Amino acid sequence: MSDPELEEIRAQRLAQLQSQYKGNPDANQKSAEERKREADEMRNGILSQVLTQSARARLNTLLVGKPEKGRLVENMLLNMARSGQLMGKLGEEELIGILEKVSEQTRSQCSVKFDRRRAALDDSDEDL
C-alpha cells in the first residue's frame, strides 16, 4: 500500500474510534441504559426463580416502603442464590425470617439520657 492510502485508512479508523468513544455520547448512553435494563431483567429472573409469588410480593412491598433495605435484601438473596445456599424456593415465612435478621443487624442503637440532677435542682416549681 502507498502512504496516502495508509494515511486515509488510519484517518478513517481514528474517526471511527472517536465516534465510538467521544463523539457519540448517545450510543454510550444507550448502551449503558441497555446494560442496566439487562441487569434488572437478570435480577428479576433470578428472584422469581428463588422466591415464591407471595414472598416476591412482600419483597416488592418492602422496596416501595424502604428502597434501601429492599435493595439490601435483594442483593443478599442474589448472593445466596449464586453461591448455592438456597435450596428450592423461599416462601413468605422464610423471607420474613431473613427480613427480621436484617432488621436486627441494621437497627441503630439510639438512647436518650436525662440529666435528672438538673431537673431536681430546679426551684422554678416551688415559686408557684
Side-chain angles (χ1 to χ4, degrees):
M1 281 204 263
S2 65
D3 278 341
E5 290 178 13
L6 187 60
E7 289 299 320
E8 185 179 330
I9 292 172
R10 285 182 181 163
Q12 288 175 354
R13 181 69 179 147
L14 179 64
Q16 180 185 11
L17 289 173
Q18 285 177 346
S19 69
Q20 283 180 351
Y21 294 108
K22 295 178 184 176
N24 196 353
D26 291 334
N28 290 336
Q29 186 179 12
K30 286 180 185 176
S31 64
E33 290 174 0
E34 189 173 312
R35 278 182 274 154
K36 184 179 183 294
R37 184 181 50 80
E38 288 174 2
D40 286 342
E41 286 177 4
M42 190 173 77
R43 283 176 82 103
N44 289 332
I46 292 172
L47 288 173
S48 64
Q49 291 175 356
V50 171
L51 298 174
T52 61
Q53 196 164 8
S54 60
R56 185 79 171 118
R58 182 172 289 273
L59 183 61
N60 286 337
T61 304
L62 177 67
L63 281 167
V64 170
K66 295 184 177 183
E68 60 280 344
K69 188 180 252 185
R71 289 288 177 203
L72 178 71
V73 172
E74 264 189 358
N75 290 334
M76 194 169 127
L77 289 171
L78 290 171
N79 289 334
M80 289 171 70
R82 287 180 184 142
S83 66
Q85 294 177 354
L86 297 178
M87 302 298 170
K89 286 191 171 192
L90 283 180
E92 190 172 3
E93 297 301 320
E94 291 90 1
L95 182 64
I96 290 172
I98 291 173
L99 290 173
E100 287 174 351
K101 287 179 186 176
V102 169
S103 292
E104 289 174 6
Q105 292 172 356
T106 59
R107 186 176 300 149
S108 62
Q109 295 294 332
C110 182
S111 62
V112 177
K113 295 181 181 180
F114 291 101
D115 189 4
R116 297 195 185 278
R117 289 177 288 162
R118 195 177 295 164
L121 296 175
D122 190 15
D123 293 333
S124 64
D125 292 338
E126 295 175 8
D127 293 339
L128 295 174

mmCIF file of all heavy atoms in Angstrom, residues 102-122:
data_model
loop_
_atom_site.group_PDB
_atom_site.id
_atom_site.type_symbol
_atom_site.label_atom_id
_atom_site.label_comp_id
_atom_site.label_asym_id
_atom_site.label_seq_id
_atom_site.Cartn_x
_atom_site.Cartn_y
_atom_site.Cartn_z
ATOM 1 N N VAL A 102 -32.082 -9.152 59.102
ATOM 2 C CA VAL A 102 -31.526 -7.923 58.538
ATOM 3 C C VAL A 102 -31.908 -6.731 59.401
ATOM 4 O O VAL A 102 -31.090 -5.837 59.642
ATOM 5 C CB VAL A 102 -32.001 -7.727 57.076
ATOM 6 C CG1 VAL A 102 -31.666 -6.349 56.556
ATOM 7 C CG2 VAL A 102 -31.377 -8.786 56.181
ATOM 8 N N SER A 103 -33.131 -6.710 59.899
ATOM 9 C CA SER A 103 -33.568 -5.610 60.762
ATOM 10 C C SER A 103 -32.762 -5.560 62.052
ATOM 11 O O SER A 103 -32.407 -4.483 62.530
ATOM 12 C CB SER A 103 -35.047 -5.745 61.099
ATOM 13 O OG SER A 103 -35.823 -5.536 59.951
ATOM 14 N N GLU A 104 -32.469 -6.730 62.623
ATOM 15 C CA GLU A 104 -31.662 -6.757 63.841
ATOM 16 C C GLU A 104 -30.252 -6.235 63.584
ATOM 17 O O GLU A 104 -29.682 -5.539 64.408
ATOM 18 C CB GLU A 104 -31.591 -8.185 64.390
ATOM 19 C CG GLU A 104 -32.880 -8.673 64.988
ATOM 20 C CD GLU A 104 -32.808 -10.136 65.393
ATOM 21 O OE1 GLU A 104 -31.713 -10.736 65.310
ATOM 22 O OE2 GLU A 104 -33.853 -10.678 65.787
ATOM 23 N N GLN A 105 -29.697 -6.581 62.428
ATOM 24 C CA GLN A 105 -28.332 -6.164 62.114
ATOM 25 C C GLN A 105 -28.244 -4.688 61.783
ATOM 26 O O GLN A 105 -27.246 -4.043 62.078
ATOM 27 C CB GLN A 105 -27.777 -6.975 60.943
ATOM 28 C CG GLN A 105 -27.550 -8.422 61.282
ATOM 29 C CD GLN A 105 -27.186 -9.236 60.067
ATOM 30 O OE1 GLN A 105 -27.175 -8.736 58.952
ATOM 31 N NE2 GLN A 105 -26.878 -10.501 60.276
ATOM 32 N N THR A 106 -29.273 -4.139 61.168
ATOM 33 C CA THR A 106 -29.215 -2.741 60.729
ATOM 34 C C THR A 106 -29.846 -1.781 61.720
ATOM 35 O O THR A 106 -29.806 -0.577 61.493
ATOM 36 C CB THR A 106 -29.916 -2.575 59.368
ATOM 37 O OG1 THR A 106 -31.271 -2.990 59.480
ATOM 38 C CG2 THR A 106 -29.205 -3.366 58.298
ATOM 39 N N ARG A 107 -30.415 -2.308 62.790
ATOM 40 C CA ARG A 107 -31.055 -1.437 63.772
ATOM 41 C C ARG A 107 -29.992 -0.580 64.442
ATOM 42 O O ARG A 107 -29.005 -1.076 64.943
ATOM 43 C CB ARG A 107 -31.791 -2.263 64.816
ATOM 44 C CG ARG A 107 -32.592 -1.409 65.793
ATOM 45 C CD ARG A 107 -33.380 -2.249 66.749
ATOM 46 N NE ARG A 107 -34.313 -3.086 65.978
ATOM 47 C CZ ARG A 107 -34.703 -4.281 66.350
ATOM 48 N NH1 ARG A 107 -34.256 -4.811 67.452
ATOM 49 N NH2 ARG A 107 -35.544 -4.973 65.615
ATOM 50 N N SER A 108 -30.217 0.703 64.451
ATOM 51 C CA SER A 108 -29.257 1.595 65.091
ATOM 52 C C SER A 108 -29.611 1.729 66.566
ATOM 53 O O SER A 108 -30.778 1.796 66.940
ATOM 54 C CB SER A 108 -29.269 2.969 64.424
ATOM 55 O OG SER A 108 -30.535 3.570 64.570
ATOM 56 N N GLN A 109 -28.585 1.754 67.371
ATOM 57 C CA GLN A 109 -28.793 1.898 68.806
ATOM 58 C C GLN A 109 -28.993 3.367 69.121
ATOM 59 O O GLN A 109 -28.130 4.190 68.868
ATOM 60 C CB GLN A 109 -27.595 1.347 69.575
ATOM 61 C CG GLN A 109 -27.401 -0.143 69.417
ATOM 62 C CD GLN A 109 -28.541 -0.927 70.036
ATOM 63 O OE1 GLN A 109 -29.179 -0.474 70.981
ATOM 64 N NE2 GLN A 109 -28.796 -2.107 69.494
ATOM 65 N N CYS A 110 -30.139 3.683 69.646
ATOM 66 C CA CYS A 110 -30.464 5.064 69.974
ATOM 67 C C CYS A 110 -30.847 5.110 71.443
ATOM 68 O O CYS A 110 -31.687 4.340 71.897
ATOM 69 C CB CYS A 110 -31.616 5.559 69.111
ATOM 70 S SG CYS A 110 -32.043 7.259 69.416
ATOM 71 N N SER A 111 -30.218 5.970 72.170
ATOM 72 C CA SER A 111 -30.561 6.083 73.582
ATOM 73 C C SER A 111 -30.702 7.552 73.941
ATOM 74 O O SER A 111 -30.010 8.409 73.412
ATOM 75 C CB SER A 111 -29.495 5.416 74.449
ATOM 76 O OG SER A 111 -28.259 6.058 74.268
ATOM 77 N N VAL A 112 -31.598 7.801 74.843
ATOM 78 C CA VAL A 112 -31.840 9.151 75.325
ATOM 79 C C VAL A 112 -31.452 9.177 76.790
ATOM 80 O O VAL A 112 -31.890 8.339 77.576
ATOM 81 C CB VAL A 112 -33.321 9.550 75.157
ATOM 82 C CG1 VAL A 112 -33.574 10.929 75.720
ATOM 83 C CG2 VAL A 112 -33.719 9.468 73.699
ATOM 84 N N LYS A 113 -30.639 10.139 77.160
ATOM 85 C CA LYS A 113 -30.199 10.254 78.547
ATOM 86 C C LYS A 113 -30.769 11.530 79.141
ATOM 87 O O LYS A 113 -30.694 12.592 78.545
ATOM 88 C CB LYS A 113 -28.671 10.287 78.617
ATOM 89 C CG LYS A 113 -28.031 8.998 78.166
ATOM 90 C CD LYS A 113 -26.533 9.069 78.288
ATOM 91 C CE LYS A 113 -25.920 7.783 77.803
ATOM 92 N NZ LYS A 113 -24.458 7.801 77.906
ATOM 93 N N PHE A 114 -31.339 11.371 80.310
ATOM 94 C CA PHE A 114 -31.869 12.514 81.033
ATOM 95 C C PHE A 114 -30.908 12.869 82.150
ATOM 96 O O PHE A 114 -30.405 11.994 82.853
ATOM 97 C CB PHE A 114 -33.244 12.191 81.643
ATOM 98 C CG PHE A 114 -34.317 12.038 80.616
ATOM 99 C CD1 PHE A 114 -34.748 10.788 80.210
ATOM 100 C CD2 PHE A 114 -34.923 13.163 80.062
ATOM 101 C CE1 PHE A 114 -35.740 10.644 79.280
ATOM 102 C CE2 PHE A 114 -35.916 13.018 79.124
ATOM 103 C CZ PHE A 114 -36.324 11.769 78.727
ATOM 104 N N ASP A 115 -30.691 14.121 82.329
ATOM 105 C CA ASP A 115 -29.887 14.580 83.450
ATOM 106 C C ASP A 115 -30.862 14.974 84.554
ATOM 107 O O ASP A 115 -31.369 16.100 84.584
ATOM 108 C CB ASP A 115 -29.002 15.744 83.014
ATOM 109 C CG ASP A 115 -27.995 16.132 84.066
ATOM 110 O OD1 ASP A 115 -27.937 15.437 85.108
ATOM 111 O OD2 ASP A 115 -27.274 17.114 83.861
ATOM 112 N N ARG A 116 -31.160 14.060 85.426
ATOM 113 C CA ARG A 116 -32.168 14.274 86.460
ATOM 114 C C ARG A 116 -31.695 15.218 87.553
ATOM 115 O O ARG A 116 -32.490 15.831 88.227
ATOM 116 C CB ARG A 116 -32.605 12.953 87.054
ATOM 117 C CG ARG A 116 -33.260 12.065 86.007
ATOM 118 C CD ARG A 116 -34.001 10.936 86.678
ATOM 119 N NE ARG A 116 -34.528 10.016 85.698
ATOM 120 C CZ ARG A 116 -35.663 10.179 85.031
ATOM 121 N NH1 ARG A 116 -36.379 11.241 85.230
ATOM 122 N NH2 ARG A 116 -36.071 9.281 84.172
ATOM 123 N N ARG A 117 -30.402 15.324 87.755
ATOM 124 C CA ARG A 117 -29.902 16.218 88.799
ATOM 125 C C ARG A 117 -30.286 17.660 88.503
ATOM 126 O O ARG A 117 -30.686 18.405 89.378
ATOM 127 C CB ARG A 117 -28.383 16.113 88.902
ATOM 128 C CG ARG A 117 -27.948 14.784 89.488
ATOM 129 C CD ARG A 117 -26.463 14.691 89.497
ATOM 130 N NE ARG A 117 -26.051 14.525 88.109
ATOM 131 C CZ ARG A 117 -24.837 14.740 87.654
ATOM 132 N NH1 ARG A 117 -23.894 15.163 88.462
ATOM 133 N NH2 ARG A 117 -24.542 14.551 86.401
ATOM 134 N N ARG A 118 -30.180 18.030 87.249
ATOM 135 C CA ARG A 118 -30.521 19.391 86.870
ATOM 136 C C ARG A 118 -32.012 19.639 87.087
ATOM 137 O O ARG A 118 -32.424 20.689 87.548
ATOM 138 C CB ARG A 118 -30.139 19.653 85.421
ATOM 139 C CG ARG A 118 -30.141 21.120 85.083
ATOM 140 C CD ARG A 118 -29.684 21.369 83.680
ATOM 141 N NE ARG A 118 -28.275 20.979 83.539
ATOM 142 C CZ ARG A 118 -27.679 20.792 82.377
ATOM 143 N NH1 ARG A 118 -28.370 20.930 81.261
ATOM 144 N NH2 ARG A 118 -26.418 20.459 82.304
ATOM 145 N N ALA A 119 -32.832 18.667 86.776
ATOM 146 C CA ALA A 119 -34.270 18.813 86.969
ATOM 147 C C ALA A 119 -34.616 18.842 88.458
ATOM 148 O O ALA A 119 -35.541 19.541 88.877
ATOM 149 C CB ALA A 119 -35.007 17.682 86.276
ATOM 150 N N ALA A 120 -33.875 18.099 89.295
ATOM 151 C CA ALA A 120 -34.138 18.068 90.724
ATOM 152 C C ALA A 120 -33.726 19.367 91.396
ATOM 153 O O ALA A 120 -34.312 19.769 92.398
ATOM 154 C CB ALA A 120 -33.405 16.895 91.360
ATOM 155 N N LEU A 121 -32.740 20.041 90.861
ATOM 156 C CA LEU A 121 -32.251 21.280 91.460
ATOM 157 C C LEU A 121 -33.026 22.510 90.997
ATOM 158 O O LEU A 121 -32.794 23.599 91.488
ATOM 159 C CB LEU A 121 -30.767 21.466 91.142
ATOM 160 C CG LEU A 121 -29.828 20.401 91.729
ATOM 161 C CD1 LEU A 121 -28.411 20.648 91.232
ATOM 162 C CD2 LEU A 121 -29.881 20.412 93.239
ATOM 163 N N ASP A 122 -33.927 22.312 90.068
ATOM 164 C CA ASP A 122 -34.680 23.443 89.526
ATOM 165 C C ASP A 122 -35.710 23.896 90.555
ATOM 166 O O ASP A 122 -36.582 23.136 90.977
ATOM 167 C CB ASP A 122 -35.357 23.030 88.217
ATOM 168 C CG ASP A 122 -35.954 24.209 87.492
ATOM 169 O OD1 ASP A 122 -35.599 25.347 87.835
ATOM 170 O OD2 ASP A 122 -36.752 23.977 86.565
#
